[in-house]
Amino acid sequence: MPQKDGKRGQGAAPGDEVGQKFHCDNCQANVTDGVRISCNECAEFDLCTTCFSRGIELGSHKNDHSYRVVTRHRFPIFTEDWSADEELLLIDGLRQFGMGNWKDAAENVGTKTKEECEQHYLDVFVGSDSWPLPAMDREFENK
């Protein structure tokens, strides 16, 4: 999340979609699945860590702009077939569009159908012994 008064932030950038691709605006390296530095002051401006560490300035982007470090969360946290990013997008979609609005929540997730979103929520959250929280004791193999 961007921080307004600090120089650094970390996490998924607002508006990131699971299927979206990202490239360094300087060297064009694909930074979709790695770490990228996203400028808080320039619209849709990303750098790879190499270009960022070199202090690249390009167009209106200056190296003293505030920024956030963005990574993807492709590992499972509640079930094998849902990534952490998809879980966050589901909850964010339900928060934004209203509980039970599975169509818009699914569009927010971008990789699941409305039926998959509804069933996942019912299984993982409503069906949990610790409702409204999901079971937090799941372990997954590292792949």
Side-chain angles (χ1 to χ4, degrees):
M1 293 277 172
Q3 294 182 351
K4 293 184 179 162
D5 29 14
K7 291 288 280 184
R8 295 184 171 103
Q10 185 170 349
D16 277 5
E17 299 291 334
V18 172
Q20 192 171 2
K21 305 288 184 202
F22 297 92
H23 291 86
C24 174
D25 286 306
N26 184 59
C27 72
Q28 302 307 309
N30 184 341
V31 292
T32 303
D33 293 319
V35 175
R36 74 180 194 274
I37 311 301
S38 186
C39 182
N40 286 336
E41 299 176 37
C42 299
E44 298 185 27
F45 188 88
D46 299 304
L47 291 173
C48 65
T49 55
T50 302
C51 290
F52 176 78
S53 67
R54 290 182 180 153
I56 295 297
E57 293 186 335
L58 189 63
S60 62
H61 174 74
K62 302 300 176 205
N63 62 19
D64 64 347
H65 284 180
S66 64
Y67 61 90
R68 63 190 174 275
V69 178
V70 183
T71 60
R72 293 291 175 112
H73 304 99
R74 296 187 187 268
F75 52 87
I77 55 175
F78 303 130
T79 63
E80 291 273 351
D81 58 336
W82 280 68
S83 71
D85 279 338
E86 290 168 323
E87 298 283 0
L88 291 169
L89 289 166
L90 174 63
I91 296 304
D92 183 56
L94 292 172
R95 183 186 57 77
Q96 280 185 48
F97 306 115
M99 183 58 71
N101 189 343
W102 302 112
K103 179 184 175 291
D104 288 340
E107 287 176 10
N108 196 57
V109 173
T111 57
K112 305 288 184 184
T113 67
K114 67 180 186 173
E115 293 81 12
E116 289 172 317
C117 289
E118 180 178 12
Q119 192 60 54
H120 180 75
Y121 186 83
L122 292 173
D123 292 345
V124 172
F125 293 90
V126 177
S128 169
D129 290 337
S130 54
W131 165 259
L133 299 174
M136 303 297 282
D137 58 353
R138 295 283 317 263
E139 291 188 25
F140 301 97
E141 288 184 35
N142 291 334
K143 294 182 180 179

